[in-house]
Amino acid sequence: MSSAAAKPILYSYFRSSCSWRVRIALALKGISYDLVPVNLLKDGGQQFSAEFKAVNPMQQVPALKIDGITLSQSLAIIHYLEDICPNPRLLPQDPKKRAQVRMIADHIVSGIQPLQNLSVLKQIGEKKMEWAQNCIASGFQALEQILQHTAGRYCVEDEVSMADLCLVPQVSNAERYKVDMSPYPTITRINKALLELEAFKVSHPSRQPDTPAELRA
């Protein structure tokens, strides 16, 4: 079997929201893959190993080996999957809706998630819970307003898009950091609708090969 036709390999951590985005995309597009768990906490963080640094010099998950190349950064990976496997599409055809999807995805992947990432929280120290809550809450206040203009059943009208793949893992982070979700009814409603979809269920952190027994669904 040539390397080009080999099964994709996803380097993932069950609790990583960035990895979850990619797992959802792979599930939606029906692409089967082998999973290599990278435990971000064990052994001082397996992402810092020389072996993994060779896979992704940024020492972050996810990374995807596919079609003879290695990709890191969740949105770059999802864009590639969209290019090679356009159905079901994760970017609307209409340019305005497409821009809205990208805007919402960017709000989450650039404006919220990195600020409450594990590496940042390590630097913050004792106040990390409060820090994470504040970062997520200020991001969600903006996102709630945006979604009130763009949402149908999902983030942008009624089709699942790249924006939704970013939203669900971020809400999961918010719940983990005990953010009060009551001010964000639109976010909450969309999240609930998405979690009913099979691709979001199978990719869930509670159902991964590396999920600890006590956190399994």
Side-chain angles (χ1 to χ4, degrees), residues 21 73-75 102-116 166 170:
R21 295 170 196 152
Q73 295 300 338
S74 61
L75 285 193
R102 287 181 166 140
M103 168 181 74
I104 293 162
D106 275 343
H107 268 298
I108 296 167
V109 305
S110 307
I112 305 175
Q113 191 275 329
L115 297 169
Q116 46 90 137
C166 298
Q170 187 55 57

Side-chain angles (χ1 to χ4, degrees), residues 3-205:
S3 64
K7 210 175 189 185
I9 298 170
L10 178 67
Y11 295 83
S12 168
Y13 177 53
F14 79 102
R15 212 173 221 174
S16 151
S17 61
C18 306
S19 300
W20 189 4
R21 295 170 196 152
V22 173
R23 295 195 304 259
I24 300 166
L26 289 162
L28 282 167
K29 291 184 180 290
I31 299 170
S32 69
Y33 59 92
D34 291 326
L35 188 130
V36 175
V38 179
N39 191 314
L40 303 186
L41 303 175
K42 206 171 154 192
D43 312 325
Q46 293 173 347
Q47 70 275 29
F48 302 122
S49 69
E51 188 188 10
F52 187 67
K53 195 176 180 180
V55 174
N56 181 10
M58 281 292 279
Q59 301 174 299
Q60 296 169 336
V61 289
L64 185 69
K65 283 189 177 175
I66 185 167
D67 299 338
I69 59 170
T70 302
L71 293 170
S72 55
Q73 295 300 338
S74 61
L75 285 193
I77 295 170
I78 294 165
H79 276 291
Y80 180 70
L81 298 176
E82 182 77 349
D83 287 340
I84 61 164
C85 183
N87 289 315
R89 65 167 181 250
L90 296 175
L91 281 169
Q93 283 172 319
D94 176 75
K96 289 177 185 172
K97 288 182 201 166
R98 186 181 276 245
Q100 289 173 325
V101 165
R102 287 181 166 140
M103 168 181 74
I104 293 162
D106 275 343
H107 268 298
I108 296 167
V109 305
S110 307
I112 305 175
Q113 191 275 329
L115 297 169
Q116 46 90 137
N117 204 356
L118 193 62
S119 58
V120 173
L121 295 182
K122 266 187 191 156
Q123 309 283 332
I124 301 292
E126 287 167 22
K127 291 201 164 175
K128 64 182 178 190
M129 194 75 162
E130 191 185 331
W131 171 274
Q133 287 172 346
N134 290 341
C135 293
I136 296 169
S138 68
F140 274 9
Q141 281 160 20
L143 197 57
E144 177 68 22
Q145 277 186 298
I146 291 164
L147 291 171
Q148 283 169 7
H149 296 285
T150 64
R153 181 162 176 78
Y154 307 123
C155 284
V156 177
E157 300 193 0
D158 299 325
E159 272 185 52
V160 175
S161 72
M162 213 174 275
D164 300 297
L165 275 58
C166 298
L167 182 86
V168 167
Q170 187 55 57
V171 173
S172 177
N173 280 355
E175 289 166 348
R176 215 167 105 220
Y177 294 119
K178 300 183 169 42
V179 172
D180 173 19
M181 290 298 292
S182 59
Y184 320 116
T186 316
I187 294 174
T188 302
R189 173 182 66 73
I190 296 167
N191 183 65
K192 188 166 179 280
L194 288 163
L195 283 173
E196 287 165 12
L197 304 176
E198 189 59 23
F200 288 78
K201 289 180 186 171
V202 297
S203 58
H204 195 279

